[in-house]
Amino acid sequence: MVTPQLSPSKLYSLFVACGLIWAGLLTYIVHSFGFIWYIALTDGIVNSILLAAACWLINNNLRYYQPGKGSYMNLLMWCLILAGICTAGFRGIIPYLSSSQAYMNFIANSLTIRFCTNFLAIGWMAMISMLWYSQLDHKETEKRRSEAEKLARDAELYNLRQQLQPHFLFNSLNSINALIGFKPDEARRMIHQLSDFLRGTLKKDDQLLVPLSDELQHLNLYLDIEKVRFGHRLDTEISCDKHCGEALLPSMLLQPLVENAIKFGLYDTTEKVTVSIRGEIDGNNLVVMVQNPYDPQTSRPKGTGFGLRGVQRRLYLLFARNDLMETHQNDNIFTTIIKIPQVI
Amino acid sequence: MKRALVIDDEPLARMVVLEYLQQFSDQIEVLQECNDGFEGLKAIQQHQPDLIFLDVQMPKINGFEMLELVEQPPSVIFTTAFDEYAIKAFEAHAVDYLLKPFSKDRFNKAIEKYLAQSPAPAQQTKKTEELLDAVASSPAQHERIVVKTGTKVKIIPVQDVQYLQADDDYVSVFTQEGSYLKNKTMNFFEQMLDPRYFVRVHRSYIIAIQQITRIDPYEKDSHLAILKSGAKIPVSKSGYVKLKGVLGI
C-alpha cells in the first residue's frame, strides 16, 4: 500500500475538517425533520464533539498498541463500547441545552440509529488508524532490518581484517626476530603462544557461547605476547572466581575490549600500564569490567572506532538491549563494563 | 663516524636494530636508545645526531609528530610494522623505511644507501619535510596539533583551537590557554585541518568556524569575524566567499 506521507499538522486539520462536515451534515438532517436551526445545530455540534473524542481516543490507542491477529474482536468490542458511551453521553447532555418535548421524543426514537452511525464512524476511524500505523510500523521494521544487514556486512569485513591483526602480527614477529639472537628459548615460546593465539582466533565461532574461563585463557595468550613486546611497561590483573568462570558469554566478545584497553593504555601514556579484567556475577548477569589508564588530555575524542561500537552492536543484536555496555572515564582510568544476561 | 639514535617503544625492536648495526660499528655509533617521542626529541636536541631510526607508532606522540617538532630533522630511516598510509607516503617521497620484521640484508641496503648519499644532509631534511607535509593530510593527523613550549611538548586537540595566525616563518596556534608557535606554514595547516571545521579566511588567518559569533562588514570588500574569545579576525573577499560556502549561507 502506497500512501503519500502526510505531515501531522495536515492530518490534524483533515480530522477537524471531517468533524465539521459531520456536524454540518447532522445539523442539516435534524433541520430537515422540521426542528429549528438552534436545536439542529446543538444536536450536530454535541454529537460531533463526542464522536471526535471517541475517534481521537481509539486512534491514540492504536498508535501505541497494534492489535495482534487474534484481538480484532477486542477492537470491535471497544468500538461498540465507545459508540455506546457516545450515544449515552449525548442523551445525557442534550436535556441541559434544549427543553423542546418534540425534540426529546425525536431523540428517544433516533437513539438506535445514532448508536449505529456512531459505531460505523468509530469503526471506520479504527480501521484507518490501524492501516496507517501498521504501515508506519512496517516501514520502521524494514529500516531496522536493512540497517542490521549493513551492520552484519561491516562486522564481517572488520572481522576478516581483525583475524589477521596485521599490526600485532608483524610486531610480534619482529620481537621474535630479536629474541632469536640472544634468547632462542623465549623466541620459541613466543612462537608457540602466537600460534596458539592465532589458531584459537581462527577456530572460534562468533555464534557460540563459551565459558568465561575459556575466553580468559585465550586472552591470556594475547596478553602474554603483548607483555613480551612491551617489556615491563605492561602489567595485567585478571580476577574471576570459579563460579564466574563457568558463566557463558559470546565468544570473542572481550577481545576487542582488551585490545582497546591495551591500545589506549600503551599509546596514551608513557608510564607503566596496568590493564585489569574483572568478572563478577550480579543476579542473572555476568558482569565483566575492563580498566585501563588513559590521558584525558590527549585521548582521541569519543567513539573509539569499530572496536567498542562493534561490541555494543553485537550485544544489541544478540540480546536486543542497548544497556548492556557502558563506559566511564575518571581519574585517568577508562572503564568499560559489559553485562551478559545468562540465559537458562 | 656517523652518530645515530634508535627511537622505538618496543625494547626488542630496538634490540634488532642494535644487533644489525654491530656490523657497521666502525662507521655508525649509537648514542642512545629512546623509549618514546619525548625522549627522542630531547636526545635529538642534545646530540644533534646524523641519523635516526624511528618507529611510527609510539605512545603519546607518533614518529611523524615528533619529527614536526625538530627544527632541522636529521636523516631518518623509518621502521614500522603496518601502516598503509605511511608506507604510501614513504614511497612517494623516497624516504627509506623498513617494514618489521626486516631482514639483515634489507637493513644493510638501507644503511649502505644512507652512507652513500650522506654528504647532502640538507637535501635529506627537505625530503623529510615534504614527507611530513604529505602525512599531515592523512585522516589520523586531523585530530591534534603537537607543539613545543620551551622544553615541554604540548598536545592540542583540534577542538581547542580557536584560530591560527601566520607569524613570519611560524604559525601561532591560539587556544583558550594562550598561543603556541609552530614551525610550519599556513599551507601545512590548511592541508592538515578538517575543512568542514576550519576555514582559511585570510592569507594570514585560519579560523575554527565554531568559534565565530558574528561577521561584521569592514572597509571595502572585507569583513571582520568576531570570535567567542573576542578576537577580531580579518576576512578577505575570497575568504568571505569560502566562509559562506562552509556555513551554507
Side-chain angles (χ1 to χ4, degrees):
Chain A
M1 188 175 77
V2 183
T3 324
Q5 272 294 340
L6 287 172
S7 66
S9 66
K10 263 194 184 156
L11 269 180
Y12 184 67
S13 15
L14 200 69
F15 184 65
V16 171
C18 281
L20 286 176
I21 292 171
W22 189 267
L25 209 64
L26 263 178
T27 309
Y28 175 74
I29 292 171
V30 173
H31 179 67
S32 67
F33 274 97
F35 294 102
I36 54 167
W37 278 112
Y38 167 74
I39 287 178
L41 202 63
T42 320
D43 184 304
I45 289 173
V46 172
N47 206 333
S48 300
I49 287 176
L50 286 168
L51 196 59
C55 284
W56 178 81
L57 205 70
I58 199 133
N59 170 50
N60 241 1
N61 261 325
L62 285 169
R63 175 184 307 180
Y64 301 110
Y65 163 70
Q66 288 274 323
K69 282 246 153 54
S71 50
Y72 288 127
M73 263 328 263
N74 256 338
L75 191 64
L76 197 72
M77 286 307 291
W78 267 107
C79 290
L80 280 171
I81 290 167
L82 278 174
I85 292 172
C86 263
T87 319
F90 178 74
R91 179 73 185 80
I93 291 170
I94 283 300
Y96 294 103
L97 300 173
S98 161
S99 48
S100 153
Q101 195 50 50
Y103 180 50
M104 289 304 135
N105 287 337
F106 171 72
I107 288 178
N109 290 333
S110 64
L111 268 186
T112 321
I113 189 108
R114 277 173 198 274
F115 173 76
C116 289
T117 41
N118 280 351
F119 170 68
L120 283 179
I122 294 168
W124 189 64
M125 184 70 194
M127 202 172 71
I128 289 182
S129 303
M130 224 166 63
L131 284 175
W132 176 264
Y133 290 120
S134 77
Q135 184 221 356
L136 275 188
D137 216 45
H138 184 69
K139 264 191 194 157
E140 191 73 10
T141 318
E142 196 70 2
K143 210 176 119 200
R144 246 205 331 262
R145 186 175 352 166
S146 73
E147 224 163 273
E149 272 169 15
K150 190 174 166 293
L151 264 179
R153 267 200 310 277
D154 286 356
E156 202 172 339
L157 266 177
Y158 176 75
N159 272 345
L160 272 177
R161 181 167 297 185
Q162 202 52 21
Q163 270 178 7
L164 283 170
Q165 301 182 68
H167 202 268
F168 167 73
L169 187 59
F170 289 127
N171 272 316
S172 303
L173 289 173
N174 195 48
S175 299
I176 293 173
N177 193 23
L179 287 170
I180 284 175
F182 66 109
K183 284 182 185 163
D185 284 351
E186 266 189 46
R188 199 169 274 175
R189 209 176 61 140
M190 193 166 169
I191 288 178
H192 294 147
Q193 282 170 335
L194 189 60
S195 317
D196 284 350
F197 173 72
L198 289 177
R199 196 169 293 123
T201 311
L202 292 174
K203 189 174 69 184
K204 291 233 164 149
D205 179 355
D206 283 15
Q207 308 300 318
L208 227 58
L209 290 173
V210 295
L212 179 63
S213 52
D214 283 13
E215 190 76 355
L216 287 177
Q217 207 176 351
H218 183 68
L219 274 176
N220 248 329
L221 286 172
Y222 169 74
L223 289 171
D224 282 344
I225 296 167
E226 293 289 60
K227 276 187 206 162
V228 175
R229 280 181 57 199
F230 291 100
H232 297 301
R233 267 194 71 208
L234 178 64
D235 223 344
T236 54
E237 279 174 13
I238 298 181
S239 75
C240 152
D241 59 37
K242 190 168 166 287
H243 181 48
C244 170
E246 287 163 3
L248 297 176
L249 79 170
S251 79
M252 298 301 279
L253 190 75
L254 293 182
Q255 181 77 19
L257 297 184
V258 176
E259 273 171 28
N260 195 67
I262 296 236
K263 195 176 85 190
F264 271 74
L266 287 173
Y267 286 106
D268 237 26
T269 59
T270 49
E271 297 93 44
K272 274 188 78 162
V273 169
T274 304
V275 172
S276 71
I277 304 168
R278 214 168 340 169
E280 269 166 32
I281 296 282
D282 179 20
N284 200 25
N285 289 333
L286 166 65
V287 181
V288 183
M289 189 157 87
V290 179
Q291 281 187 321
N292 63 278
Y294 85 115
D295 182 350
Q297 293 284 297
T298 56
S299 252
R300 317 250 143 151
K302 274 191 84 176
T304 44
F306 214 105
L308 290 188
R309 251 194 357 251
V311 173
Q312 182 148 35
R313 283 161 163 183
R314 247 187 103 188
L315 285 170
Y316 175 70
L317 291 177
L318 285 167
F319 300 105
R321 278 172 63 181
N322 251 330
D323 58 340
L324 294 176
M325 187 179 109
E326 44 185 298
T327 58
H328 303 285
Q329 319 169 14
N330 49 14
D331 290 340
N332 297 350
I333 296 284
F334 189 89
T335 312
T336 313
I337 301 170
I338 53 169
K339 282 185 251 173
I340 299 116
Q342 298 296 302
V343 193
I344 304 152
Chain B
M1 193 70 155
K2 299 287 179 195
R3 299 148 72 244
L5 294 175
V6 182
I7 308 170
D8 196 313
D9 61 322
E10 295 185 30
L12 289 170
R14 296 198 300 269
M15 211 107 75
V16 175
V17 175
L18 293 181
E19 191 193 322
Y20 286 177
L21 266 177
Q22 273 170 11
Q23 191 194 323
F24 298 91
S25 57
D26 52 340
Q27 284 160 294
I28 298 172
E29 172 198 9
V30 177
L31 300 169
Q32 197 183 328
E33 293 177 51
C34 308
N35 251 318
D36 53 62
F38 299 125
E39 276 185 39
L41 195 60
K42 226 158 119 193
I44 291 172
Q45 275 159 349
Q46 191 186 336
H47 301 295
Q48 300 290 331
D50 304 297
L51 171 69
I52 57 177
F53 295 89
L54 182 61
D55 183 19
V56 175
Q57 203 182 15
M58 288 190 295
K60 290 270 192 186
I61 57 172
N62 67 34
F64 296 127
E65 285 167 334
M66 188 208 83
L67 271 186
E68 277 177 18
L69 299 175
V70 179
E71 295 278 326
Q72 281 205 317
S75 295
V76 186
I77 295 178
F78 287 96
T79 59
T80 185
F82 179 79
D83 184 342
E84 275 170 273
Y85 195 88
I87 292 165
K88 245 184 245 164
F90 297 145
E91 267 161 7
H93 295 275
V95 175
D96 213 353
Y97 65 96
L98 298 166
L99 290 180
K100 293 175 187 169
F102 40 85
S103 68
K104 182 92 171 51
D105 285 350
R106 177 68 189 83
F107 183 82
N108 288 358
K109 240 179 235 164
I111 297 295
E112 275 151 21
K113 192 173 150 203
Y114 161 73
L115 290 172
Q117 69 181 12
S118 54
Q123 205 201 338
Q124 279 287 331
T125 304
K126 197 170 153 259
K127 258 193 204 168
T128 309
E129 266 165 9
E130 281 168 6
L131 171 79
L132 292 180
D133 284 355
V135 172
S137 55
S138 92
Q141 306 287 316
H142 275 327
E143 290 157 354
R144 55 205 204 158
I145 298 172
V146 180
V147 293
K148 213 164 47 173
T149 56
T151 55
K152 283 221 177 83
V153 173
K154 176 147 177 76
I155 297 164
I156 309 171
V158 289
Q159 303 93 284
D160 293 357
V161 174
Q162 295 172 341
Y163 67 98
L164 300 100
Q165 182 183 1
D167 206 340
D168 289 328
D169 287 345
Y170 290 81
V171 170
S172 295
V173 181
F174 285 83
T175 68
Q176 204 178 351
E177 292 158 28
S179 73
Y180 304 91
L181 277 181
K182 175 125 183 174
N183 184 11
K184 282 282 167 222
T185 62
M186 288 302 271
N187 286 337
F188 171 86
F189 282 110
E190 202 180 2
Q191 281 252 308
M192 174 204 161
L193 295 166
D194 191 333
R196 285 175 301 173
Y197 307 117
F198 289 89
V199 181
R200 183 158 183 188
V201 293
H202 187 275
R203 203 162 45 84
S204 314
Y205 291 96
I206 294 175
I207 55 177
I209 54 174
Q210 274 185 322
Q211 294 287 331
I212 302 174
T213 53
R214 62 171 205 273
I215 301 166
D216 291 343
Y218 178 70
E219 289 182 356
K220 187 173 159 290
D221 276 348
S222 70
H223 290 76
L224 266 187
I226 318 292
L227 303 190
K228 282 178 195 161
S229 62
K232 295 184 173 74
I233 308 295
V235 178
S236 68
K237 194 179 167 191
S238 64
Y240 188 60
V241 174
K242 258 192 273 177
L243 199 55
K244 279 205 292 190
V246 174
L247 293 172
I249 49 173

